Amino acid sequence: MNTITVQGMLPSEFINTYKTDLVFKQIKRFKDRINQEWDKVIHDFLKLDYETENLIYVFVSFMEQDIYIGQEFNRYWYRNNPKAIKEIECRICTIINPLVYLPVDKIEQGHKAICVLQFNSTTKERFQLPLIEGFHMNKDGNEVILSNE
């Protein structure tokens, strides 16, 4: 079973800056280290319509296992209410490494990430997350645990 803890949503100002400025600065900065596979992940991210309503940018806490792009989740619950498990259809379509601020194909166990979650367009079930400014900024216990069983 794969699980991640989603702490909260990123501010829209960061998303707008990231997509229009920061990601391109980081591509230039790391151009000598970007291999063909990494380049594909970056370009797939740049093709996303980040204003579509079925995508959200979130802070994800330390991973308990390696997580890859495409990881699907079918259940969720709020950390402060673990018995109220609900069904959902979503997947990780982008993982952004917070150390280099570039999209990567996976985030390794023990690390945290910024993820873009994509909800199935036919599913109406969504969870509510607070808008937060950084990792570990959600102190209310309403983080969301996503699971694939």
Side-chain angles (χ1 to χ4, degrees):
M1 174 172 72
N2 290 326
T3 62
I4 62 173
T5 302
V6 182
Q7 297 177 320
M9 293 179 45
L10 277 73
S12 59
E13 300 82 32
F14 173 83
I15 297 167
N16 292 335
T17 300
Y18 183 75
K19 288 281 292 193
T20 59
D21 189 30
L22 181 57
V23 72
F24 296 104
K25 286 181 182 177
Q26 294 303 93
I27 291 169
K28 187 175 181 181
R29 180 177 175 200
F30 289 97
K31 69 179 184 208
D32 295 338
R33 293 175 38 195
I34 296 174
N35 61 26
Q36 187 175 6
E37 188 173 320
W38 198 6
D39 188 55
K40 180 186 178 332
V41 171
I42 292 168
H43 281 85
D44 287 348
F45 167 73
L46 293 173
K47 288 188 244 177
L48 285 178
D49 178 4
Y50 67 99
E51 293 183 358
T52 185
E53 65 181 41
N54 69 332
L55 294 180
I56 61 170
Y57 287 67
V58 295
F59 291 103
V60 176
S61 189
F62 295 100
M63 302 293 161
E64 295 188 24
Q65 66 277 329
D66 292 353
I67 298 289
Y68 295 85
I69 287 178
Q71 172 66 55
E72 295 180 353
F73 300 98
N74 58 10
R75 304 225 187 308
Y76 80 95
W77 61 91
Y78 291 95
R79 184 173 61 90
N80 60 4
N81 192 4
K83 293 185 180 187
I85 298 172
K86 297 181 181 177
E87 292 187 11
I88 197 160
E89 292 181 53
C90 70
R91 71 179 190 90
I92 297 175
C93 65
T94 299
I95 298 170
I96 299 169
N97 183 316
L99 299 176
V100 295
Y101 280 109
L102 283 172
V104 293
D105 63 342
K106 74 174 183 176
I107 196 73
E108 295 178 0
Q109 178 181 359
H111 292 269
K112 53 191 173 187
I114 294 169
C115 291
V116 181
L117 298 178
Q118 181 177 34
F119 295 93
N120 184 326
S121 59
T122 61
T123 302
K124 299 298 180 209
E125 183 68 35
R126 299 284 201 282
F127 45 79
Q128 299 298 315
L129 287 167
L131 190 66
I132 59 175
E133 298 290 325
F135 293 100
H136 307 296
M137 298 296 290
N138 183 347
K139 307 286 188 224
D140 296 331
N142 58 349
E143 293 99 342
V144 169
I145 313 298
L146 291 174
S147 172
N148 185 3
E149 297 179 359

